[in-house]
Amino acid sequence: MIPMPVLFVSHGAPTYALEPGLAGAGLVRLGERLPRPQAVLVVSPHWVSREPRITGAARPETIHDFGGFPDALYRLQYPAPGAPALAAELAAWLREAGYRAELDKGRGLDHGAWVPLRFLYPEADVPVLQLSMPAWLDPASAWALGEALRSLRAKGILIVASGSLTHNLYEFRQGETKAAAYALAFEAWARDAVRRHDKAALLDYLNAPHGRRAHPTPDHYLPLLVAAGAASPDGEVEVLEGDMRYGMLSMESYLFG
């Protein structure tokens, strides 16, 4: 079996579900040309726990983990099946790798998971698991977690690390259409470092051009490191174009072959 690729996706604001734009259209096209996976494993910064936890429900609920948005957003559902047996296998495998992983049979899919997946697999017919981000995760351990997940690709599992290439919500401007120069500069730096598989640079992102401004907190950047760690070190990287929302929220994503 040819290993599945790895996807880092910028999931933007929850309104991405209603306003797909360039990034959403790109995910639709990507889903149509990717090999069909046995399951999707999503890592999202909107589920943080003390130690790694994995969704174990047969029918994980759609979690609307946000407030103050249009009513239409709360009516959206993503009824993808879970994969309890696979989740149990993954938890056991992670424990063997040294992680204190456990199943969570009550947890559903947060918007970092279901929003991009509703474009990637709009029929919601591919089983979905979600892996929490441990609270102790830092750049080096995020990369190591990706490396630990890498072998899942050979089992037909698509790893989707969902975050945001830039994520400074302190500078969120509703209706802003002009991209901030600092966000564009960090986006260009990240694109180059990802294409070169430059681990040292990606781990040291705070010293990249405007790194601290693009990511005043690490939560939405760490999924990129999980994806890069799970990727083949010499594999091709495809840039999935996205716009710059609210002036500072890059929707650019990467497919690691």
Side-chain angles (χ1 to χ4, degrees):
M1 178 182 292
I2 299 175
M4 292 295 296
V6 179
L7 177 63
F8 166 74
V9 60
S10 292
H11 63 248
T15 47
Y16 179 28
L18 300 174
E19 302 166 355
L22 189 63
L27 285 184
V28 171
R29 292 192 297 271
L30 179 63
E32 291 170 347
R33 62 183 171 89
L34 283 179
R36 185 177 175 85
Q38 297 295 317
V40 176
L41 176 66
V42 183
V43 177
S44 160
H46 296 286
W47 186 19
V48 176
S49 58
R50 180 170 297 180
E51 299 293 341
R53 297 180 69 83
I54 303 160
T55 54
R59 288 285 173 181
E61 67 173 327
T62 302
I63 303 175
H64 299 88
D65 52 334
F66 41 77
F69 290 94
D71 290 343
L73 197 53
Y74 300 92
R75 292 194 291 270
L76 293 179
Q77 297 291 316
Y78 190 76
L86 179 59
E89 290 178 14
L90 177 56
W93 182 81
L94 283 173
R95 287 194 292 270
E96 290 179 4
Y99 293 92
R100 297 170 61 185
E102 298 292 343
L103 287 182
D104 188 330
K105 297 183 179 180
R107 173 75 186 191
L109 304 176
D110 62 53
H111 79 273
W114 66 263
V115 170
L117 287 180
R118 72 186 302 270
F119 300 118
L120 191 63
Y121 297 113
E123 299 300 320
D125 55 354
V126 177
V128 178
L129 303 175
Q130 187 168 343
L131 172 65
S132 70
M133 284 176 46
W136 43 259
L137 217 59
D138 61 11
S141 57
W143 191 287
L145 177 59
E147 290 179 327
L149 298 174
R150 186 184 296 167
S151 63
L152 297 178
R153 298 169 55 199
K155 301 179 184 296
I157 296 175
L158 175 65
I159 299 169
V160 176
S162 178
S164 189
L165 197 60
T166 58
H167 195 259
N168 186 343
L169 297 186
Y170 299 111
E171 299 192 28
F172 179 95
R173 299 292 184 270
Q174 184 70 41
E176 179 62 69
T177 58
K178 182 180 179 180
Y182 83 88
L184 290 173
F186 185 85
E187 181 184 71
W189 169 86
R191 185 186 310 130
D192 178 66
V194 165
R195 282 173 163 166
R196 291 186 289 106
H197 296 276
D198 192 336
K199 178 179 179 180
L202 290 168
L203 293 184
D204 193 33
Y205 74 100
L206 289 176
N207 289 315
H210 308 287
R212 297 176 188 276
R213 189 174 177 186
H215 287 283
T217 59
D219 49 337
H220 279 67
Y221 180 81
L222 293 176
L224 175 60
L225 300 179
V226 174
S232 303
D234 57 352
E236 293 185 5
V237 178
E238 179 181 346
V239 176
L240 304 175
E241 190 178 359
D243 52 3
M244 187 73 71
R245 300 201 170 185
Y246 312 110
M248 41 56 69
L249 199 60
S250 172
M251 297 298 291
E252 184 165 293
S253 301
Y254 305 116
L255 183 69
F256 297 83

